[in-house]
Amino acid sequence: MIKFKDLISENSFNKVMDDASVSLTLEAHTLFLRFDSKDIILRANYSGPASPWLSALCALLIEKTLNEALHFNWSTFESAFKEDQTFWDFRQETQEDFFCKPLELLRATLDVFRGKEYLYQETSPLICRCFGIRESDVLEHLQKNEIPTLESLSGETKAGMGCRSCVPQLNRWLVLHESKKFSHHYKERPVAEWLLDIDYMLSCFPESEDWKMELKSMKGKQVLISFDKEVNQREEEAIAKKLQDFLGASVDGDLGFFLRRARHFSKARG
């Protein structure tokens, strides 16, 4: 069993790995991961200033599959060190440095390994700064739980259990999910209510501001959203799929969300 006090004193994971399958640097630290042919992590190291949290992360990653590593969160550490008092004492002493940055570095490195372009400023928006919980984590919890509550969300991710400044936003997600669950069909709610919910969630979409997205209309199950950004067809198709996934998960999967260039509307008006 890994002892947290040993991770603090030995610092054995803080070294460069020359044969890493993937590595990535964010701020002062670099994470190195070595995978085998079945995407199982054989070794994990980091370089930079000594960090017990990164040492713990590297220790826990060894022999984990890629899929298991993708789901690392606070609960992973809680389960591994639940009976280790040193872990809890150190966590209380270093609350401000707790896990957010190491988990961010892990997710970024795994994205690169999977062939995804990682741009730090375009990740899913950060919801809970105390525990590094992002919007994508909240959506995943809502999708896989039949009756999600703030308690179940906090129990799984720890979101809302720090300074609690994110609780109002978390409650908003839960209200939207609940209205979706009990509506069952788009005709059972007034269009005005749908438009309010869609407009709010559109404002939460990461690319909404840059693409100058604007909710235009809702006819039946089809929701029309305009954008004003010079992009090629491939970029437009990619963002349209991302928007459908985002709004479908947070509003209603039965609705279709369609993008149209803003200039189309100006031409139609003559």
Side-chain angles (χ1 to χ4, degrees):
M1 181 182 295
I2 304 170
K3 297 293 186 181
F4 198 79
K5 64 180 180 180
D6 295 335
L7 295 173
I8 297 176
S9 59
E10 295 176 3
N11 199 30
S12 58
F13 291 95
N14 190 355
K15 55 186 177 183
V16 174
M17 187 190 301
D18 294 328
D19 58 346
S21 303
V22 63
S23 64
L24 187 75
T25 302
L26 285 180
E27 298 181 4
H29 291 102
T30 301
L31 181 63
F32 305 88
L33 299 177
R34 176 70 178 172
F35 289 85
D36 68 8
S37 59
K38 296 182 179 180
D39 286 346
I40 296 174
I41 299 174
L42 300 177
R43 285 189 292 148
N45 293 340
Y46 77 94
S47 65
S51 168
W53 301 128
L54 274 171
S55 292
L57 178 68
C58 290
L60 295 176
L61 282 171
I62 295 174
E63 297 186 357
K64 296 295 190 298
T65 65
L66 173 60
N67 186 59
E68 289 172 329
L70 286 168
H71 289 85
F72 261 44
N73 55 31
W74 153 253
S75 298
T76 307
F77 294 86
E78 184 182 53
S79 177
F81 300 110
K82 61 183 177 181
E83 298 180 359
D84 191 328
Q85 189 59 45
T86 305
F87 167 78
W88 296 106
D89 291 342
F90 192 82
R91 179 228 161 154
Q92 187 172 3
E93 293 172 6
T94 59
Q95 180 74 32
E96 292 183 358
D97 299 326
F98 188 56
F99 287 153
C100 182
K101 291 182 179 178
L103 284 175
E104 188 72 60
L105 178 55
L106 172 63
R107 291 170 184 175
T109 306
L110 294 176
D111 276 353
V112 172
F113 180 73
R114 293 188 298 162
K116 291 187 175 183
E117 183 180 5
Y118 181 82
L119 298 175
Y120 186 84
Q121 65 274 19
E122 294 185 0
T123 57
S124 179
L126 190 63
I127 301 298
C128 174
R129 295 186 178 278
C130 297
F131 291 94
I133 305 305
R134 295 193 169 272
E135 193 172 87
S136 56
D137 300 316
V138 177
L139 285 175
E140 181 179 353
H141 179 82
L142 295 179
Q143 290 172 342
K144 71 181 183 182
N145 287 273
E146 183 68 21
I147 308 177
T149 63
L150 182 59
E151 289 73 21
S152 67
L153 178 61
S154 298
E156 179 178 318
T157 68
K158 300 302 176 184
M161 296 188 69
C163 68
R164 296 186 63 81
S165 63
C166 62
V167 169
Q169 187 170 0
L170 294 175
N171 281 328
R172 174 66 175 174
W173 282 99
L174 290 166
V175 168
L176 287 177
H177 179 83
E178 194 71 4
S179 65
K180 169 187 170 182
K181 178 177 181 293
F182 287 105
S183 291
H184 298 297
H185 195 269
Y186 71 98
K187 288 185 178 179
E188 295 181 14
R189 295 180 67 201
V191 172
E193 289 186 14
W194 280 116
L195 293 176
L196 286 172
D197 285 348
I198 295 168
D199 191 52
Y200 173 79
M201 295 313 306
L202 181 62
S203 70
C204 297
F205 185 60
E207 287 80 7
S208 178
E209 183 176 356
D210 182 44
W211 283 59
K212 298 179 182 177
M213 292 183 180
E214 183 180 349
L215 177 60
K216 285 294 181 180
S217 65
M218 179 179 181
K219 296 181 179 179
K221 293 185 178 182
Q222 297 185 353
V223 180
L224 200 56
I225 296 169
S226 70
F227 72 92
D228 188 8
K229 182 179 175 68
E230 290 300 322
V231 295
N232 59 40
Q233 185 64 29
R234 185 174 180 180
E235 291 173 319
E236 183 177 338
E237 291 174 354
I239 205 68
K241 182 180 184 305
K242 184 176 180 180
L243 181 67
Q244 175 65 48
D245 292 342
F246 178 87
L247 292 179
S250 56
V251 182
D252 194 312
D254 289 336
L255 297 176
F257 302 93
F258 300 92
L259 279 178
R260 293 290 187 273
R261 295 178 185 271
R263 65 173 178 266
H264 291 171
F265 294 99
S266 62
K267 289 181 179 178
R269 288 193 293 264

